[in-house]
Amino acid sequence: MLPLGSVCPLGVRLLGVCSRVPVVTCVRGITYGENDAVNPNFVNRNPRNMEMLRLARKPEGWNLEASSRTYWYKLVLEKSNRHSTGWVEHHTGTPVVSASTREWAIKQHLYSTTDTNAVYNIGCILARRCLESGISEVYTELDQYAESSGKIQKFLSAMKEGGVELKEPRFIHELSVGMFSRRRPALPWQVQEEGVSSPPSPIS
Amino acid sequence: MWAAKHSFSLLGGTKPVSLQVTRSKWWKKIIHNVYPTLQERFEELDHKQKDPELYAPVNIGLPKRRPPRRELLESRLQHLKELRKNKTLEKEAWKGNLKLDLDQVQADWETGTGPHQLRVLAQHYGIFDHLFGNAYFVPRIFLNISYDYDEDTVSPVYRGNTIKPKEAASTPDIQFHSDPDSLWTLILTNPDGNLLDNDHECLHWFVGNIVGGDTSSGEVVCDYLQPFPPRGTGYHRMVFVLYKQHQRIDFSKYRREQPCLSLKDRSFSTLDMYQEQQDFMTPAGIAWYQADWDPSLTDFFHNTLSTWICTEIQSKLIKRFYWSV
């Protein structure tokens, strides 16, 4: 059954909405079967659901820190003396997707693990792994170094060509979707995707 | 007033605790006010911290099958030396023309660090938590799953990419490396799709006793049903789990009538099933995608499932999600 305060189909009497046990009834010729029973306290347990819907809060309040923490996923590039590693980390710290010249799968084909070409290839591979893992937009602090560093420029262009956007969408605040708010952003679940092109995905 | 961190057992442990000591003329005594940090408060609420041995993570997967590093090292070092001598490779790399074949890299990654990165990703998506509880496994076998959308396009399933329900209307094509005689079980579940019970999953496909790599040779315990995330609930995870069987298993206990269109019958718990069958099978591979609502689901709900659930769940549900974060 539908939760309180929601729009109900015509002619439905809500019974037992406050209890955890769903109750069905036959009203005005509409026969409700067993498949209509829905838990009024249904919860989508997917931990990535809120981020996908842009409703999850980004960690705010660290504005006096040098590096921002207001992101869901951050793109990082590490260039050590012997290897180059690129990874995308969640704001909780987990490196969710990564590509490194330490991996034999990549190292066996490269001439050097630290030159610009290696970083470019790391970018291509990381972009593909990101899209396969359901990450298509990331936050990055590497933009500021792109002008001065050729390697970082190549890395970012490889990520863009691979289909990963280097700008995360803004978080949708509850107050901005009210009826009288000035700028009402299009909510992701209201957009009919018939006419919208899906994000590029590697198709075999 | 000053803040002090002493290792008192005020909160029932020997961890340093955030205290603030106050001294007042009126009370004529020192009062220690406990101001735990957010981290400490979460640990208090987390019942798993109270008995770490009981809730310790357990690896239930297949063991490592790679040769020891010493054997690989010599051949690899030789290979790298030859690479360094290769002048054409050096020139290509210097010019920026050396672009790696991504499919080849993917194939080698699947035998190397791939399974471990997959495990971290599955943990991030909460798949092990909701399917197996405290257990996890390193997925040694990689699944090549693709939905045949139309003549030209194919929707592959990787690790969390978005696929619309209309693309997943029919059974996918499944391929994986296996010996011709080995037996496998494939289960497709939706841990977010059980509309009656939040702690159970919705079973979408259950094929047991698959011989070799051919899904059509297995016995269909539960027939395939496409994903049906109701509008307003967001993205549901559809998880394919591949188990390697040690022997032929009798799945009559889990058999559902075909076609099974009753959502109550499709209520499933991977943990319960695995607890019963753990001596006969081991989880070997995993793949998942995310699906959200699609206009084609309206017809599916009305006609196939004979239900009125498809109406939009309004802002009340979204608000509840919002404040629970």
Side-chain angles (χ1 to χ4, degrees):
Chain A
M1 301 300 278
L2 301 158
L4 281 168
S6 59
V7 172
C8 330
L10 282 169
V12 174
R13 226 172 348 122
L14 293 172
L15 292 178
V17 167
C18 301
S19 69
R20 288 193 72 93
V21 177
V23 174
V24 296
T25 182
C26 174
V27 178
R28 277 204 206 171
I30 301 167
T31 321
Y32 285 90
E34 57 162 1
N35 277 347
D36 284 289
V38 173
N39 181 359
N41 296 317
F42 168 77
V43 171
N44 182 345
R45 296 188 287 173
N46 185 359
R48 309 276 72 89
N49 184 40
M50 294 298 279
E51 285 155 16
M52 304 275 289
L53 294 176
R54 294 167 54 193
L55 296 175
R57 281 191 169 269
K58 299 183 187 181
E60 290 159 16
W62 302 95
N63 297 326
L64 295 178
E65 301 280 309
S67 57
S68 169
R69 296 198 200 183
T70 317
Y71 57 85
W72 291 314
Y73 292 104
K74 180 161 108 172
L75 177 68
V76 185
L77 176 68
E78 187 212 351
K79 299 178 285 164
S80 79
N81 282 342
R82 300 231 172 160
H83 289 286
S84 323
T85 311
W87 73 90
V88 170
E89 65 177 18
H90 191 245
H91 66 79
T92 49
T94 326
V96 171
V97 190
S98 69
S100 171
T101 50
R102 284 188 186 86
E103 294 168 28
W104 179 245
I106 300 170
K107 197 185 345 182
Q108 64 179 331
H109 300 296
L110 291 173
Y111 174 74
S112 161
T113 51
T114 51
D115 62 0
T116 309
N117 187 258
V119 175
Y120 173 74
N121 279 300
I122 290 287
C124 294
I125 293 162
L126 186 64
R128 178 167 163 154
R129 288 182 189 174
C130 280
L131 292 182
E132 289 177 0
S133 307
I135 297 166
S136 47
E137 289 127 346
V138 291
Y139 165 78
T140 183
E141 282 172 349
L142 297 168
D143 297 344
Q144 50 190 305
Y145 308 114
E147 271 184 48
S148 53
S149 168
K151 275 185 193 172
I152 290 177
Q153 205 172 53
K154 282 274 182 179
F155 180 67
L156 294 177
S157 64
M159 290 294 284
K160 272 185 226 166
E161 280 163 36
V164 178
E165 273 216 41
L166 299 175
K167 191 181 174 191
E168 269 195 336
R170 286 180 77 180
F171 150 69
I172 298 169
H173 199 276
E174 195 189 19
L175 298 173
S176 67
V177 300
M179 285 227 329
F180 304 108
S181 50
R182 261 186 218 166
R183 271 178 289 164
R184 285 189 70 190
L187 301 169
W189 53 90
Q190 285 171 347
V191 174
Q192 295 287 358
E193 287 178 20
E194 242 48 75
V196 173
S197 60
S198 54
S201 58
I203 293 172
S204 56
Chain B
M1 273 204 282
W2 63 93
K5 276 195 178 178
H6 303 281
S7 49
F8 290 136
S9 53
L10 273 174
L11 288 180
T14 49
K15 293 176 195 162
V17 156
S18 312
L19 298 175
Q20 218 151 26
V21 179
T22 57
R23 196 191 291 270
S24 170
K25 232 195 253 182
W26 309 105
W27 299 317
K28 288 184 182 168
K29 62 178 178 181
I30 297 166
I31 298 166
H32 291 98
N33 289 323
V34 177
Y35 292 112
T37 61
L38 186 66
Q39 200 67 32
E40 284 162 0
R41 283 158 72 188
F42 277 136
E43 278 168 23
E44 266 293 287
L45 290 170
D46 191 6
H47 63 279
K48 292 185 184 179
Q49 296 273 342
K50 286 174 186 158
D51 196 347
E53 274 182 31
L54 187 65
Y55 296 104
V58 179
N59 189 344
I60 53 169
L62 292 171
K64 261 194 263 192
R65 53 172 191 193
R66 289 176 68 195
R69 194 161 166 76
R70 208 172 288 167
E71 286 175 26
L72 295 170
L73 205 60
E74 219 185 288
S75 59
R76 284 184 179 183
L77 284 172
Q78 189 61 35
H79 179 89
L80 291 175
K81 274 187 192 167
E82 279 160 31
L83 274 183
R84 283 270 154 181
K85 288 179 197 164
N86 191 339
K87 293 289 176 190
T88 44
L89 194 74
E90 186 191 353
K91 206 170 182 183
E92 272 181 54
W94 182 75
K95 283 191 175 172
N97 295 334
L98 176 64
K99 194 170 172 193
L100 267 54
D101 177 17
L102 295 180
D103 292 325
Q104 179 63 43
V105 169
Q106 175 85 7
D108 294 327
W109 177 71
E110 286 174 8
T111 53
T113 52
H116 301 275
Q117 291 186 5
L118 221 90
R119 180 229 155 156
V120 169
L121 201 64
Q123 200 84 46
H124 177 67
Y125 273 91
I127 287 167
F128 294 136
D129 281 333
H130 297 141
L131 257 60
F132 294 104
N134 301 320
Y136 68 92
F137 66 94
V138 179
R140 309 275 175 199
I141 312 285
F142 266 73
L143 292 161
N144 274 327
I145 305 173
S146 55
Y147 283 99
D148 202 7
Y149 183 47
D150 58 33
E151 287 162 9
D152 305 321
T153 50
V154 143
S155 301
V157 171
Y158 294 113
R159 315 168 270 288
N161 54 316
T162 310
I163 292 178
K164 283 286 181 185
K166 70 177 177 201
E167 294 172 50
S170 52
T171 51
D173 174 45
I174 307 211
Q175 284 167 16
F176 53 92
H177 291 295
S178 87
D179 298 327
D181 305 326
S182 47
L183 293 165
W184 307 85
T185 302
L186 182 75
I187 298 179
L188 171 60
T189 53
N190 180 351
D192 314 311
N194 194 319
L195 302 172
L196 285 167
D197 193 345
N198 284 328
D199 297 322
H200 282 74
E201 304 139 35
C202 181
L203 180 67
H204 282 259
W205 202 23
F206 191 150
V207 188
N209 296 318
I210 299 168
V211 181
D214 187 19
T215 326
S216 51
S217 65
E219 62 165 283
V220 179
V221 178
C222 183
D223 62 314
Y224 180 80
L225 187 69
Q226 66 163 81
F228 52 87
R231 190 172 185 185
T233 52
Y235 289 82
H236 291 218
R237 298 162 289 177
M238 300 291 293
V239 187
F240 289 90
V241 190
L242 183 74
Y243 299 87
K244 184 161 190 185
Q245 291 175 218
H246 310 160
Q247 62 191 58
R248 207 157 189 95
I249 301 173
D250 177 31
F251 288 114
S252 49
K253 190 180 170 186
Y254 308 104
R255 189 171 285 279
R256 271 99 168 147
E257 57 172 35
Q258 289 171 28
C260 182
L261 292 170
S262 164
L263 299 182
K264 203 173 162 188
D265 285 340
R266 282 193 178 253
S267 183
F268 183 70
S269 170
T270 302
L271 183 62
D272 291 339
M273 191 278 299
Y274 190 69
Q275 275 175 346
E276 286 158 17
Q277 305 295 337
Q278 59 184 313
D279 296 328
F280 312 117
M281 55 154 91
T282 320
I286 198 164
W288 65 97
Y289 65 95
Q290 296 188 88
D292 77 326
W293 189 82
D294 188 88
S296 69
L297 280 181
T298 315
D299 284 328
F300 180 79
F301 275 121
H302 285 161
N303 302 327
T304 317
L305 290 183
S306 319
T307 170
W308 295 96
I309 298 173
C310 69
T311 53
E312 185 176 344
I313 299 173
Q314 291 278 318
S315 57
K316 182 84 179 182
L317 201 63
I318 301 293
K319 265 192 191 170
R320 195 183 292 144
F321 282 154
Y322 179 88
W323 291 112
S324 68
V325 168

